[in-house]
């Protein structure tokens, strides 16, 4: 499979110039002013970026296929410019064993759209108690998380971090104490962020903090990073785009203007490793019953480009670092840069194109998104995986 993308603005975290990119056998083989006798994609007026990598998404298989499945989730990811995603384990049954990992990876391979990593739960069946199942996970598992729920018991988290350290895997913290959340969700997130940083310090385990939403939690993380602790963190597009005034159920909740400002300041200063979508599709009925979450993978890039780059907070290069390069590195993938030898996973975007978000047009089964009608810039025109054009928009 050969593909030549011509006359395009090539941008990654460290470069921006006009030229051509040639992909052969799935890898970027040449960059410059090129001519090849193969399929050509004209990139005139468009931008070619490394495709996006999502550290945090819910594709709901097995068990909740009525909300999303690996096919609809993969299609939504590709439409959003993503070619690799890390799936959370709060499925039904929860993903506590390798047979479920095998099932998901096999489905993903057959579908063949995006690269998928499946996270295993920290506690058996996400019940918050037993971690014996962690003995059985093999080297294909890079992350463990009870995302959707926090691990309330300190000792359980400590022991899980010790296992993670031994196995060389990363704990993804959904920093929440459900009991405290009933009183104050901000306190809940802040407390558990502090606790998990302390436990990571004690155990030496690799820790990634999911969907940081409060200014206090972000300050804790920045302080820990300044002290040299090897932790990483992610921020979602919705937590920088919407406030609590939207009254939209998502966990952690949409916060206040000062929180958004603090998250953006942290992004500017380099404390935020990744933008992750926490793509959480639900049906209309489930949302009406109070289900938490936002279906967002299809509009993550335009939201971040509009909010972070067009408002002048960061450059496009920096946005690519946190949407492609860093998450690829955290997942151990050879993606996220436009360099010879890297995977030929690229996304062609039209940065001048403005349009209104329309959840009813999502390929995801979940149309649950609070930004219906919001005007954004940056349309994904094509998503290319290993030199193959998987998606062509308008
Ligand atoms: O809003 C959320 N939805 N936050 C989570 O942590 C879980 C997710 C889900 O699975 O729906
Ligand atoms: Zn979560």
């Amino acid at each position: 499979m050969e593909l030549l993308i011509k006359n395009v603005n090539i941008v990654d975290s460290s470069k921006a110039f006009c030229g051509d990119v040639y992909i052969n056998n799935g890898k970027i083989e040449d960059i410059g002013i090129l001519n090849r006798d193969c399929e050509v994609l004209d990139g005139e007026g468009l931008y070619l970026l490394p495709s996006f990598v999502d550290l945090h998404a819910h594709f709901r298989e097995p068990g909740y296929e009525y909300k999303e499945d690996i096919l609809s989730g993969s299609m939504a990811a590709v439409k959003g410019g993503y070619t690799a995603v890390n799936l959370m384990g709060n499925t039904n049954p929860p993903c506590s064993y390798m047979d479920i990992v095998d099932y998901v990876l096999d489905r993903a391979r057959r579908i063949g759209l995006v690269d998928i990593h499946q996270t295993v739960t920290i506690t058996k069946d996400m019940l918050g108690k037993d971690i014996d199942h962690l003995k059985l996970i093999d080297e294909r598992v890079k992350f463990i998380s009870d995302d959707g729920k926090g691990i309330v018991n300190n000792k359980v988290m400590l022991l899980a971090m010790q296992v993670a350290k031994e196995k060389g895997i990363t704990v993804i913290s959904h920093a929440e104490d459900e009991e405290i959340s009933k009183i104050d969700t901000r306190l809940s997130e802040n407390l558990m962020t502090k606790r998990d940083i302390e436990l990571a310090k004690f155990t030496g385990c690799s820790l990634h903090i999911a969907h940081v939403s409060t200014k206090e939690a972000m300050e804790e993380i920045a302080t820990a990073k300044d002290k040299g602790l090897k932790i990483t963190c992610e921020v979602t597009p919705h937590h920088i785009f919407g406030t609590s005034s939207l009254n939209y159920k998502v966990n952690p909740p949409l916060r206040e203007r000062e929180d958004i400002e603090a998250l953006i300041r942290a992004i500017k200063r380099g404390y935020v490793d990744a933008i992750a979508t926490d793509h959480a599709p639900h049906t209309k009925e489930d949302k009406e019953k109070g289900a938490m979450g936002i279906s967002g993978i299809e509009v993550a890039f335009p939201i971040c480009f509009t909010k972070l780059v067009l408002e002048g907070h960061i450059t496009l290069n920096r946005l690519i670092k946190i949407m492609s390069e860093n998450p690829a590195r955290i997942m151990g993938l050879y993606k996220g840069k436009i360099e010879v030898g890297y995977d030929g996973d690229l996304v062609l975007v039209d940065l001048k194109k403005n349009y209104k978000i329309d959840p009813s047009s999502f390929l995801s089964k979940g149309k649950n998104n609070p930004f219906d009608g919001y005007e954004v810039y940056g349309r994904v025109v094509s998503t290319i995986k290993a030199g193959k054009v998987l998606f062509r928009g308008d």
Side-chain angles (χ1 to χ4, degrees), residues 56 58 88 145-149 173-175 210-211 234 251-252 278:
H56 188 151
H58 301 263
M88 290 299 150
S145 180
D146 273 9
D147 183 67
K149 261 188 185 175
S173 160
H174 168 113
H211 43 54
E234 69 188 35
N251 189 13
D278 194 4

Side-chain angles (χ1 to χ4, degrees), residues 248-249 282-292 368:
Y248 202 83
K249 274 192 185 298
H282 291 291
T283 61
K284 195 161 170 269
E285 295 70 36
D286 287 351
K287 280 306 280 182
E288 279 163 10
K289 281 186 229 149
M292 305 266 202
N368 49 305

Side-chain angles (χ1 to χ4, degrees), residues 264-280:
I264 294 177
R265 224 177 301 124
I267 290 171
K268 280 168 92 161
R269 293 178 180 167
Y271 289 114
V272 175
D273 299 277
I275 296 286
T277 67
D278 194 4
H279 175 72

Side-chain angles (χ1 to χ4, degrees), residues 174-387:
H174 168 113
E176 180 181 13
D177 177 325
E178 279 176 13
E179 288 304 311
I180 302 291
S181 283
K182 289 177 195 155
I183 301 163
D184 188 84
T185 63
R186 176 180 292 273
L187 177 63
S188 169
E189 177 172 347
N190 296 348
L191 270 179
M192 290 312 236
T193 303
K194 272 186 198 229
R195 188 223 36 198
D196 287 346
I197 290 171
E198 284 302 317
L199 291 179
K201 218 187 288 174
F202 182 80
T203 58
C205 119
S206 159
L207 172 68
H208 175 80
I209 304 186
H211 43 54
V212 182
S213 73
T214 69
K215 61 177 187 299
E216 297 87 3
M218 190 48 84
E219 274 160 21
E220 286 296 329
I221 292 165
T223 306
K225 283 183 168 222
D226 283 343
K227 287 185 184 151
L229 196 67
K230 295 244 172 310
I231 53 174
T232 54
C233 74
E234 69 188 35
V235 163
T236 74
H238 49 267
H239 286 114
I240 55 169
F241 206 50
T243 64
S244 62
S245 63
L246 276 172
N247 256 326
Y248 202 83
K249 274 192 185 298
V250 59
N251 189 13
L254 298 178
R255 303 288 188 186
E256 310 312 320
R257 255 216 355 252
E258 311 87 82
D259 296 294
I260 295 185
E261 284 164 10
L263 296 180
I264 294 177
R265 224 177 301 124
I267 290 171
K268 280 168 92 161
R269 293 178 180 167
Y271 289 114
V272 175
D273 299 277
I275 296 286
T277 67
D278 194 4
H279 175 72
H282 291 291
T283 61
K284 195 161 170 269
E285 295 70 36
D286 287 351
K287 280 306 280 182
E288 279 163 10
K289 281 186 229 149
M292 305 266 202
I294 289 175
S295 173
I297 204 164
E298 285 165 75
V299 289
F301 175 72
I303 285 181
C304 292
F305 178 67
T306 305
K307 183 73 197 173
L308 296 173
V309 180
L310 289 185
E311 281 190 11
H313 301 295
I314 59 170
T315 60
L316 179 60
N317 304 84
R318 180 62 85 79
L319 182 62
I320 295 163
K321 195 171 175 82
I322 57 178
M323 289 193 74
S324 308
E325 184 179 319
N326 287 350
R329 193 196 65 238
I330 293 168
M331 275 178 78
L333 305 173
Y334 222 54
K335 302 185 198 293
K337 286 190 186 189
I338 305 188
E339 259 171 40
V340 170
Y342 271 73
D343 288 355
D345 286 20
L346 304 169
V347 59
L348 206 51
V349 293
D350 183 347
L351 297 180
K352 297 210 176 76
K353 180 117 177 174
N354 62 321
Y355 59 99
K356 289 199 167 120
I357 292 176
D358 173 17
S360 72
S361 71
F362 284 178
L363 295 179
S364 167
K365 292 185 191 179
K367 317 294 179 195
N368 49 305
N369 187 294
F371 304 118
D372 193 353
Y374 279 52
E375 187 172 72
V376 285
Y377 283 78
R379 193 159 191 105
V380 172
V381 173
S382 292
T383 305
I384 298 153
K385 176 144 198 323

Side-chain angles (χ1 to χ4, degrees), residues 83-122:
T83 59
V85 294
N86 175 41
L87 299 183
M88 290 299 150
N90 61 341
T91 49
N92 187 19
C95 184
S96 299
Y97 294 104
M98 289 313 293
D99 57 344
I100 301 182
V101 175
D102 285 333
Y103 169 83
V104 170
L105 298 186
D106 185 54
R107 286 269 297 140
R109 210 173 307 113
R110 280 165 200 264
I111 289 165
L113 283 173
V114 296
D115 290 337
I116 283 183
H117 175 271
Q118 177 63 55
T119 292
V120 165
T121 62
I122 297 175

